């Protein structure tokens, strides 16, 4: 039996909610360009307290200060697909996967080298 929470209308609502949260944080705090790259909304110029490492993806919104090269954006687009699949389970599952990006299954799936982890 298929899990109704994954790749479903329920997960899509969670992804949309995450995107709205990302926009609510990214748009007012962004001091750099905001642009859309292949469906990924990239908000730049954010203060460092908004995210860990080089940036974070919330729904379809990537929040960063200046870490927005093509390889990183390819990595973040995988996170968008993960958000669509898992919806609001994504933050919980991501946290449960651990803080070490080399062992975090979501970072491994998105590509460690593209994410700047190797």
């Amino acid at each position: 039996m298929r899990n109704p929470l994954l790749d479903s209308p329920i997960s899509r609502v969670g992804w949309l909610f995450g995107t709205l949260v990302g926009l609510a944080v990214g748009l007012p705090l962004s001091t750099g360009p905001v642009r859309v790259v292949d469906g990924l909304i990239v908000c730049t110029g954010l203060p460092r307290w908004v995210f860990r490492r080089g940036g974070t993806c919330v729904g379809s919104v990537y929040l960063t200060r200046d870490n927005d090269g093509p390889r990183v954006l390819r990595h973040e687009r995988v996170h968008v697909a993960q958000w669509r699949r898992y919806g609001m389970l994504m933050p919980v599952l991501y946290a449960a996967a651990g803080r070490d990006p080399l062992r975090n299954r979501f970072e491994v799936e998105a590509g460690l080298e593209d994410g700047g982890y190797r």
Side-chain angles (χ1 to χ4, degrees):
M1 182 173 171
R2 189 173 158 209
N3 187 330
L5 298 178
L6 305 180
D7 275 331
S8 70
I10 294 170
S11 68
R12 297 297 192 289
V13 169
W15 162 64
L16 178 59
F17 179 76
T19 299
L20 293 174
V21 169
L23 289 171
V25 171
L27 291 179
L29 294 178
S30 182
T31 61
V34 175
R35 64 192 196 279
V36 178
V37 180
D38 296 327
L40 177 67
I41 304 164
V42 182
C43 296
T44 60
L46 277 80
R48 298 222 185 264
W49 58 263
V50 173
F51 49 85
R52 290 186 185 170
R53 303 181 189 124
T56 193
C57 184
V58 183
S60 286
V61 182
Y62 176 54
L63 307 169
T64 188
R65 182 162 198 79
D66 56 10
N67 188 26
D68 61 344
R71 292 182 71 184
V72 170
L73 297 185
R74 180 172 53 219
H75 173 92
E76 297 304 326
R77 283 192 297 274
V78 175
H79 288 317
V80 170
Q82 294 166 342
W83 268 93
R84 277 196 307 268
R85 176 168 169 71
Y86 297 106
M88 287 310 294
L89 290 175
M90 181 63 183
V92 175
L93 295 171
Y94 187 94
R99 293 180 70 171
D100 178 0
L102 302 179
R103 299 184 192 284
N104 182 303
R105 70 184 189 98
F106 297 100
E107 294 300 342
V108 170
E109 181 183 348
L112 294 173
E113 286 187 26
D114 283 350
Y117 296 116
R118 290 202 175 165

